[in-house]
Amino acid sequence: RARGRREAAVGGSGARRRDRARGVARLEGREPQGPTAAGRAGSASRSSTRPRGEAAMSRRASHDDPERYLFADHGYAGNAATQADWTARRLVWVPSERHGFEAAAVTEERTDEVAVELAESGRRATVPKADVQRMNPPKFTKVEDMAELTCLNEASVLHNLKDRYYSGLIYTYSGLFCVVINPYKNLPIYTEQIVEMYRGKKRHEVPPHIYAISETAYRSMLQDREDQSILCTGESGAGKTENTKKVIQYLAHVASSHKGRKDHTAPNSIAYVSGRQLPSCIASVGLNVSLSGSLSLSPAPSLSLPFSF
């Protein structure tokens, strides 16, 4: 008891004194006594504020706006002052051992070399002219399709992908391809509402997404009556299997909807993957999935699905 009182005397808040007293009581093998007035006040304060904070965090997590993971903010890039600064400084990309490429301002051009000032550190350096890569104007910051870049070089491509990834945008087009960078966390961009957002839309009408690729293949199959394929490639852990699941999820939703059944009618049949029954709507889309991550869509029902997640 004396030890508990000493701990309570030196404690900071009432809640801290109460916790320490309880800890001492448990060590002594007895039940802790009720909290003091200060302890009750501290307990009341904690109980009145902590749940609200946790509830607020829970609400923010559950109501996280999916648009921030789909649409890029171009406000700063479209600023006239930003454009003027880029033009005046003659910014370029130079090799960097730490970052791969680093932004720098050209201060002097020579025959085979270029004198530059690094934008981040202000350090001056001289690099071979062959190693200097042009930088795109600010209006191309976080561009959705890298085929639109004025200067299509390695540094600009990597910078655009990094910029979008750090902004929560994991999907980026590169011509006919869709580049996906694994976020290693769950994003709220695979809900039924997002599926409806992409259904029936052309690729340029919506932000980059695996659903846009799936929609293009699905509609091309229905309109042209020709087989379509989606190939997911990448290193181990890049997210091939997860994106394959998203493709199947999108096809299942679209084919099972009233509009999907109206657009394309298929006989009743049952599809299986590794002995597990798939939704009957998949039967309206002949779907073949290979272990290499290749998906084939056929207008005629094809129930051979040699794939296991």
Side-chain angles (χ1 to χ4, degrees):
R1 292 194 192 94
R3 183 180 176 185
R5 284 195 293 271
R6 285 198 303 272
E7 290 283 341
V10 299
S13 64
R16 190 179 305 170
R17 290 196 298 269
R18 181 199 61 190
D19 294 340
R20 289 180 177 177
R22 285 182 174 178
V24 172
R26 292 192 187 97
L27 289 174
E28 293 177 354
R30 59 181 177 80
E31 290 297 321
Q33 300 298 322
T36 61
R40 285 193 295 269
S43 177
S45 175
R46 288 184 66 185
S47 62
S48 61
T49 57
R50 190 170 184 177
R52 284 202 299 268
E54 292 178 353
M57 291 178 62
S58 177
R59 285 195 299 270
R60 283 196 298 269
S62 60
H63 294 86
D64 199 358
D65 187 6
E67 291 191 359
R68 68 181 293 265
Y69 300 104
L70 297 174
F71 297 93
D73 182 13
H74 298 285
Y76 175 77
N79 192 344
T82 305
Q83 176 68 29
D85 179 69
W86 174 85
T87 305
R89 298 181 62 187
R90 300 173 59 192
L91 293 174
V92 295
W93 295 110
V94 296
S96 171
E97 294 183 359
R98 180 179 179 184
H99 304 290
F101 294 95
E102 191 171 351
V106 176
T107 58
E108 183 183 355
E109 291 191 33
R110 301 164 188 163
T111 305
D112 297 326
E113 295 180 333
V114 177
V116 298
E117 180 181 345
L118 301 181
E120 183 177 345
S121 62
R123 184 173 61 87
R124 294 180 178 273
T126 302
V127 296
K129 185 176 290 187
D131 293 339
V132 176
Q133 299 187 26
R134 298 175 59 190
M135 182 182 294
N136 288 278
K139 68 177 182 178
F140 291 103
T141 301
K142 302 178 187 178
V143 66
E144 293 182 348
D145 191 345
M146 292 184 292
E148 301 175 2
L149 293 175
T150 301
C151 305
L152 190 58
N153 49 52
E154 182 182 1
S156 298
V157 168
L158 294 176
H159 176 72
N160 188 70
L161 290 173
K162 184 180 75 171
D163 252 11
R164 288 180 60 83
Y165 182 74
Y166 285 168
S167 299
L169 307 170
I170 65 172
Y171 291 104
T172 307
Y173 291 138
S174 180
L176 297 176
F177 298 92
C178 181
V179 182
V180 189
I181 303 180
N182 196 336
Y184 293 101
K185 65 178 181 180
N186 294 324
L187 300 181
I189 56 175
Y190 304 105
T191 61
E192 185 175 342
Q193 290 75 17
I194 301 298
V195 171
E196 291 294 330
M197 170 182 167
Y198 281 85
R199 189 174 70 167
K201 298 292 195 323
K202 296 182 179 179
R203 202 179 81 155
H204 66 273
E205 297 176 340
V206 285
H209 201 292
I210 189 64
Y211 289 164
I213 303 296
S214 307
E215 173 66 21
T216 301
Y218 180 71
R219 294 301 162 186
S220 297
M221 181 196 67
L222 296 183
Q223 294 171 7
D224 302 335
R225 305 294 298 173
E226 293 180 354
D227 295 353
Q228 306 292 320
S229 296
I230 300 175
L231 180 63
C232 302
T233 64
E235 297 180 354
S236 177
K240 299 184 296 297
T241 302
E242 290 302 319
N243 278 277
T244 302
K245 291 179 182 179
K246 302 309 178 187
V247 172
I248 297 177
Q249 173 202 9
Y250 184 87
L251 295 175
H253 181 90
V254 174
S256 65
S257 65
H258 175 73
K259 183 178 179 181
R261 291 195 299 269
K262 184 178 178 181
D263 288 344
H264 179 67
T265 304
N268 290 331
S269 50
I270 300 176
Y272 291 87
V273 175
S274 299
R276 301 181 65 179
Q277 182 176 348
L278 286 175
S280 59
C281 58
I282 289 293
S284 66
V285 182
L287 183 62
N288 289 289
V289 190
S290 69
L291 287 172
S292 62
S294 175
L295 292 89
S296 299
L297 285 73
S298 303
S302 175
L303 303 182
S304 175
L305 295 169
F307 187 79
S308 176
F309 288 117

